[in-house]
Amino acid sequence: MIEDFTKKQISKSGRGLGTIITLQLFGSTDEYILDESFALIAGYEDRLTVNRDKSEVMDINHAAGKNPVQVSSSTYKLIKLAVEKSRENFGFNALIGPVVKLWHIGFKDAHVPTDEAIKEKMALTHPEDVILDDVNQTVFLTKPGMELDLGGIAKGYIADRIRDLWHAYDVRAGIINLGGNVLFVGPSPRRESGKWVLGVQDPKLKRGENLTTATVSECSAVTSGTYERVLKINGKQYHHIIDPKTGYPVKTNVAGVTLFTRDSVQAEIECKRLFFAGKPIEGWQDDEAGRYGAIFVYNNDQIERVNV
């Protein structure tokens, strides 16, 4: 029975959201579902991207310091979540863009900015300076030069919407992989237990080289790490994850943390929370439903598992 089910499968890969996307269905060969999934991704990218001059989010950024901008319901919902989480001040900040662009780590013009330049841009990153109007679904960045960027949360939100679509088509099992942001849908058909096996990236090796694995039930898995982009200059190394409290790359002994949660947008958020904490947080799993576990990888290659 398991063998027959795994034989009936289909997958599709393509570029989107600035990464490689792979969608895989088990128990179905209906390409229409995958085509609809990619159309859904393209629609969200059109509304949320900051890598083009025109999108709903860029309309908000262009109007910074001038006027509120009305957006679609899904965009407003995601922005409101991003701003609320940014105001919790645990490390995630959807307004940090001006400082990130100042460093530009991972690009040819990357450099170490002056303290003065960092201080100037930091003044544009306060989430309290965003005015949200629930009635009219408008967003207003009150200071000129402010920028909203949902890149740290959008892939998770979109993965959850793809799962909704698959549920509407009664998909029994599948894998949504948005450039390493993974969402397992249903029980795995490959094992009697229904468990999925996920590789955890070795922070010191190229992408795809795993340090360990995790065997999990249906869930989302998201990783944050210092290894993706770095700047080496004058014998010092700087990674790309900026601390919203200082404007400098966060100082941490954590090389990477992988989160396992019910929802993918939840994994995106909690990944940042635990990464910036630098260690497991006591009672973390009890604070919100759907927080399943985590794997920490430290700079000394030590691995610490939390309920995984």
Side-chain angles (χ1 to χ4, degrees):
M1 182 177 176
I2 290 180
E3 184 181 355
D4 292 341
F5 188 41
T6 57
K7 281 181 179 177
K8 193 176 183 183
Q9 59 181 281
I10 190 172
S11 66
K12 182 177 180 178
S13 296
R15 286 204 65 86
L17 309 175
T19 189
I20 299 294
I21 293 168
T22 302
L23 306 179
Q24 187 172 13
L25 298 178
F26 296 97
S28 174
T29 55
D30 191 348
E31 292 190 18
Y32 178 77
I33 298 174
L34 297 183
D35 292 342
E36 285 290 290
S37 301
F38 271 91
L40 182 147
I41 292 167
Y44 276 113
E45 185 167 20
D46 287 345
R47 294 189 290 276
L48 303 177
T49 186
V50 293
N51 296 319
R52 305 174 202 157
D53 192 55
K54 184 68 178 174
S55 72
E56 287 191 332
V57 174
M58 285 305 296
D59 288 347
I60 293 168
N61 292 344
H62 290 320
K66 300 174 186 175
N67 56 269
V69 173
Q70 190 174 58
V71 294
S72 61
S73 295
S74 63
T75 300
Y76 185 80
K77 182 179 179 181
L78 184 57
I79 290 172
K80 184 173 182 178
L81 175 64
V83 171
E84 286 175 349
K85 292 301 176 182
S86 298
R87 288 172 178 169
E88 290 182 18
N89 202 28
F90 59 78
F92 172 79
N93 187 348
L95 286 304
I96 196 68
V99 181
V100 172
K101 285 183 177 177
L102 194 61
W103 286 84
H104 225 208
I105 293 174
F107 298 88
K108 288 183 179 179
D109 59 344
H111 68 286
V112 179
T114 64
D115 290 340
E116 186 179 345
I118 290 173
K119 188 176 181 181
E120 181 182 325
K121 294 298 184 183
M122 284 289 286
L124 302 173
T125 66
H126 302 303
E128 292 76 15
D129 293 331
V130 181
I131 296 176
L132 300 171
D133 182 338
D134 291 350
V135 175
N136 296 304
Q137 288 186 172
T138 61
V139 183
F140 182 30
L141 308 182
T142 57
K143 293 181 180 178
M146 288 181 69
E147 295 178 21
L148 182 68
D149 187 340
L150 303 175
I153 196 174
K155 280 198 293 186
Y157 180 81
I158 294 168
D160 290 335
R161 302 293 75 76
I162 297 170
R163 181 179 60 184
D164 292 342
L165 178 68
W166 288 9
H167 284 163
Y169 283 110
D170 293 323
V171 169
R172 289 175 62 185
I175 304 172
I176 300 164
N177 187 340
L178 306 185
N181 179 319
V182 178
L183 180 57
F184 296 114
V185 179
S188 171
R190 292 170 171 159
R191 292 168 188 81
E192 291 281 1
S193 65
K195 301 271 187 170
W196 300 92
V197 176
L198 180 86
V200 176
Q201 172 72 34
D202 187 327
K204 296 181 179 177
L205 299 178
K206 63 183 180 181
R207 181 178 279 276
E209 297 288 338
N210 296 327
L211 186 64
T212 186
T213 60
T215 302
V216 295
S217 299
E218 178 182 15
C219 70
S220 174
V222 171
T223 299
S224 283
T226 60
Y227 53 86
E228 292 285 359
R229 299 195 300 272
V230 296
L231 168 65
K232 295 179 181 179
I233 190 166
N234 296 331
K236 281 191 172 184
Q237 181 167 300
Y238 303 87
H239 62 78
H240 72 291
I241 302 179
I242 303 298
D243 188 339
K245 296 178 182 177
T246 67
Y248 286 84
V250 61
K251 294 181 179 179
T252 179
N253 291 319
V254 175
V257 58
T258 299
L259 255 289
F260 303 92
T261 59
R262 178 187 59 210
D263 301 321
S264 193
V265 72
Q266 184 182 30
E268 294 263 30
I269 294 164
E270 296 309 311
C271 213
K272 276 82 172 176
R273 189 189 305 276
L274 294 190
F275 178 86
F276 277 90
K279 60 183 180 180
I281 299 173
E282 188 175 351
W284 167 78
Q285 287 174 277
D286 301 325
D287 288 343
E288 183 180 277
R291 296 179 181 179
Y292 297 151
I295 296 178
F296 287 80
V297 179
Y298 296 97
N299 292 329
N300 62 1
D301 291 337
Q302 177 191 352
I303 298 172
E304 184 173 9
R305 293 173 178 265
V306 180
N307 200 38
V308 178

